[in-house]
């Protein structure tokens, strides 16, 4: 910006956050980048409409207000949850040239938005959310996100990135995105997936779908699948064995683990082929 500040607009396309969380994230940014980072939490972040941070129209309008404003350098998704998919049909046709010039950042349910925008040529990246500050040690995750947004810090990146086109998603979100008009072309991409709170059989089902639908992937990396519920009877394979199985079935190279997940160690994965240094 002309005043030397990097302005980050924050919206909640799915679930709401508390004002106290916004205050804590703003204070953290001010300590790390005094006078340089300006975080603007849209008031919509604090609305409540059942599960959602306001109704679909309110969430879409807030997204567009930040995205289409040339005064913002980036749009950061406040929290995951569920609901980003419900605003895509309203948001995408209304984006302007200023929206194309900024970076979009988040993960989890935000994968709906990131995937749709990436398919339309926007700059997007998978990485920590302001809501991650609620996790123990979450200041490290939020700091990592800020360091990448503000200065493209190389040590914030997922370490296996090698210059090939790459994308990262929550596995369940990606599985539901496939087959819709909002799914980007991931041919020749290294795909990284992670998940949380899903049984092994659901991970198996989602990887069956993803690998069958995306046979032209350059390879697949498995992030952390955390808080996996117990199943009776036990599924009999862990998530690594499941990923290896479906990669072998589909002919997609299994490339090992990825340092992403629903946790404070979640690393940044820019989509496409961004410079890594």
């Amino acid at each position: 910006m002309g005043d030397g500040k990097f302005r980050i607009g924050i919206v909640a396309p799915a679930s709401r956050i508390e004002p106290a969380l916004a205050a804590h994230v703003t204070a953290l940014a001010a300590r790390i980048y005094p006078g340089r980072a300006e975080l603007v939490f849209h008031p919509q972040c604090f609305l409540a409409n059942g599960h959602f941070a306001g109704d679909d129209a309110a969430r879409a309008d807030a997204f567009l207000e930040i995205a289409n404003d040339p005064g913002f350098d980036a749009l950061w998704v406040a929290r995951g949850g569920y609901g980003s998919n419900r605003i895509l049909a309203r948001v995408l046709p209304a984006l302007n040239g200023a929206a194309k010039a900024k970076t979009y950042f988040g993960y989890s349910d935000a994968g709906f938005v990131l995937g749709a925008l990436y398919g339309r040529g926007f700059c997007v990246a998978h990485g920590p959310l302001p809501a991650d500050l609620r996790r123990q040690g979450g200041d490290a995750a939020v700091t990592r996100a800020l360091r990448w947004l503000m200065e493209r810090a190389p040590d914030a990146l997922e370490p296996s990135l090698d210059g090939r086109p790459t994308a990262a998603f929550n596995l369940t979100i990606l599985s539901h995105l496939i087959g819709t008009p909002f799914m980007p072309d991931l041919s020749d991409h290294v795909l990284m997936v992670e998940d949380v709170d899903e049984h092994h059989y659901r991970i198996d089902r989602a990887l069956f779908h993803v690998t069958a639908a995306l046979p032209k992937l350059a390879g697949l990396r498995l992030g952390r699948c955390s808080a996996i519920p117990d199943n009776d009877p036990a599924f009999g394979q862990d998530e690594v064995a499941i990923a290896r199985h479906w990669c072998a079935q589909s002919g997609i190279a299994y490339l090992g683990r990825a340092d992403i997940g629903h946790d404070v160690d979640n690393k940044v994965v820019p989509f496409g082929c961004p410079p890594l240094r």
Side-chain angles (χ1 to χ4, degrees):
M1 302 305 299
D3 58 6
K5 289 185 178 180
F6 189 92
R7 298 187 75 219
I8 302 171
I10 301 167
V11 298
S15 301
R16 73 187 300 268
I17 60 169
E18 299 294 334
L21 174 69
H24 291 161
V25 174
T26 300
L28 177 61
R31 289 197 302 272
I32 302 170
Y33 294 104
R36 294 177 54 200
E38 182 180 353
L39 272 57
V40 179
F41 283 83
H42 194 286
Q44 170 271 324
C45 292
F46 315 121
L47 297 179
N49 184 284
H51 173 87
F52 306 107
D55 62 20
D56 292 350
R59 300 195 320 281
D61 288 347
F63 193 98
L64 287 168
E65 187 175 332
I66 299 296
N68 287 340
D69 186 341
F72 288 100
D73 300 286
L75 185 152
W76 195 7
V77 173
R79 182 184 172 185
Y82 169 70
S84 299
N85 57 313
R86 294 172 61 103
I87 70 169
L88 291 177
R90 295 172 180 257
V91 164
L92 294 174
L95 293 169
N96 64 16
K100 198 74 174 281
K102 56 177 56 69
T103 299
Y104 298 81
F105 195 81
Y107 79 109
S108 190
D109 185 77
F112 283 122
V113 173
L114 300 183
L117 291 176
Y118 180 59
R120 288 157 177 79
F122 287 68
C123 176
V124 307
H126 174 286
L129 308 167
D132 284 320
L133 195 65
R134 300 179 303 173
R135 304 181 191 273
Q136 185 175 359
D139 56 339
V142 174
T143 297
R144 184 180 309 115
L146 287 167
R147 292 186 64 245
W148 190 80
L149 284 167
M150 292 288 299
E151 55 185 302
R152 298 298 194 259
D155 60 352
L157 295 172
E158 202 284 333
S160 72
L161 293 172
D162 59 8
R164 288 184 290 178
T166 303
F169 286 90
N170 173 271
L171 174 61
T172 298
I173 298 301
L174 177 60
S175 182
H176 287 290
L177 190 61
I178 289 170
T180 73
F182 310 113
M183 178 66 194
D185 182 3
L186 297 182
S187 298
D188 302 318
H189 284 59
V190 173
L191 173 64
M192 302 182 184
V193 292
E194 53 80 29
D195 222 323
V196 63
D197 291 327
E198 298 289 355
H199 291 79
H200 279 123
Y201 74 86
R202 292 184 175 183
I203 295 170
D204 187 86
R205 182 167 59 202
L207 280 170
F208 153 72
H209 183 207
V210 167
T211 56
L214 304 176
K216 295 182 180 180
L217 290 174
L220 182 140
R221 285 189 177 274
L222 180 67
R224 288 176 289 281
C225 297
S226 55
I228 298 174
D230 291 333
N231 196 69
D232 184 18
F235 188 71
Q237 289 183 314
D238 66 12
E239 60 271 27
V240 175
I242 292 168
R244 288 182 178 277
H245 171 81
W246 288 115
C247 283
Q249 290 288 314
S250 61
I252 296 170
Y254 176 71
L255 302 176
R257 303 308 299 265
D259 194 6
I260 62 171
H262 273 66
D263 52 44
V264 299
D265 294 321
N266 188 27
K267 301 303 189 298
V268 176
V269 181
F271 284 37
C273 300
L276 302 180
R277 293 291 184 270

